[in-house]
Amino acid sequence: DGGITQSPKYLFRKEGQNVTLSCEQNLNHDAMYWYRQDPGQGLRLIYYSQIVNDFQKGDIAEGYSVSREKKESFPLTVTSAQKNPTAFYLCASSRRGAMNTEAFFGQGTRLTVV
Amino acid sequence: QQQVKQSPQSLIVQKGGISIINCAYENTAFDYFPWYQQFPGKGPALLIAIRPDVSEKKEGRFTISFNKSAKQFSLHIMDSQPGDSATYFCAASKETSGSRLTFGEGTQLTVNP
């Protein structure tokens, strides 16, 4: 089955720790995205990558970091600098170069700071 | 800066009724307007999308109405069913940004049996 796999589904982090969220896709998409979802605020873009070894900050990149070493993978690290990391994180992918193509989302990772 | 504003925040409809969710945008460069449906604990999935060269698009029970001059678009769900109960997000993007979507705040729809 083609799709996007996010892991883990639930993640608990102690204050001051960095954690990494995994996102893998087998859709052969060039572009990948990380969104954060909070109640009543919709989805906000954290980082995106249009091609391997290249990525750009989104609207709320502070306290987060990413890498794009492989086309299939776009891990997100939530660093200790992120002041309010508890949220639902969604990874997405799409084709690059085509006009306004559909974004496919993973099932999400719910991160809780304990 | 919220570039896409969505209302209402929540909506309760009886089975068989019409659900209407509205969105307004600010950036006139936006040229693609999708609606996503999200069930609890799941990622959003594309429901229907429209481009500004048409004023309406219909797919089954779902219709998008688009008013370019007012910078508004809306989702109509006809004959609403309990299985439609979900959170709905409008979004917008511009051609040069691919799928870099700007989302509305979301509407939690409940369809009572």
Side-chain angles (χ1 to χ4, degrees):
Chain A
D1 283 335
I4 301 177
T5 301
Q6 289 188 242
S7 62
K9 188 171 182 180
Y10 299 97
L11 185 58
F12 296 89
R13 189 195 93 171
K14 293 182 179 179
E15 287 193 21
Q17 285 184 336
N18 294 353
V19 290
T20 297
L21 284 60
S22 171
C23 178
E24 303 278 335
Q25 56 98 359
N26 60 5
L27 299 167
N28 199 32
H29 285 166
D30 288 300
M32 297 188 73
Y33 311 81
W34 274 104
Y35 288 90
R36 170 179 170 144
Q37 184 174 13
D38 296 282
Q41 295 192 51
L43 282 70
R44 293 179 291 167
L45 183 65
I46 303 172
Y47 268 98
Y48 65 104
S49 169
Q50 302 278 36
I51 197 169
V52 174
N53 292 323
D54 187 44
F55 49 83
Q56 288 80 40
K57 293 181 179 179
D59 301 317
I60 55 166
E62 184 176 354
Y64 301 96
S65 65
V66 294
S67 62
R68 187 83 188 278
E69 299 177 358
K70 299 187 298 181
K71 185 177 184 178
E72 303 80 15
S73 179
F74 192 40
L76 173 74
T77 296
V78 184
T79 74
S80 58
Q82 170 50 237
K83 299 305 179 187
N84 185 21
T86 295
F88 190 50
Y89 291 87
L90 287 159
C91 178
S93 72
S94 70
R95 289 185 293 131
R96 185 176 71 96
M99 190 176 91
N100 305 121
T101 57
E102 177 181 355
F104 292 83
F105 284 84
Q107 298 297 288
T109 293
R110 187 165 298 280
L111 172 64
T112 304
V113 174
V114 297
Chain B
Q1 181 184 5
Q2 184 66 42
Q3 294 191 56
V4 178
K5 295 199 66 67
Q6 183 173 346
S7 63
Q9 186 174 6
S10 63
L11 180 63
I12 299 175
V13 175
Q14 291 300 117
K15 179 182 175 181
I18 302 173
S19 303
I20 301 174
I21 304 171
N22 301 298
C23 283
Y25 63 97
E26 300 171 3
N27 189 343
T28 56
F30 287 149
D31 57 7
Y32 176 66
F33 303 90
W35 284 89
Y36 280 81
Q37 180 189 55
Q38 184 182 29
F39 293 104
K42 305 295 184 182
L46 181 66
L47 187 64
I48 186 172
I50 196 168
R51 302 188 195 282
D53 53 342
V54 296
S55 60
E56 186 175 282
K57 182 174 182 179
K58 183 176 181 179
E59 291 185 1
R61 297 184 293 110
F62 301 92
T63 299
I64 298 179
S65 296
F66 184 81
N67 186 330
K68 188 174 182 179
S69 60
K71 293 188 289 185
Q72 296 176 345
F73 59 110
S74 60
L75 175 69
H76 296 233
I77 306 175
M78 310 300 288
D79 187 26
S80 298
Q81 299 297 313
D84 296 331
S85 297
T87 300
Y88 292 81
F89 293 96
C90 62
S93 70
K94 48 189 177 181
E95 179 180 358
T96 54
S97 70
S99 288
R100 186 184 173 182
L101 296 160
T102 298
F103 284 87
E105 300 93 332
T107 296
Q108 186 167 352
L109 172 65
T110 301
V111 181
N112 289 327

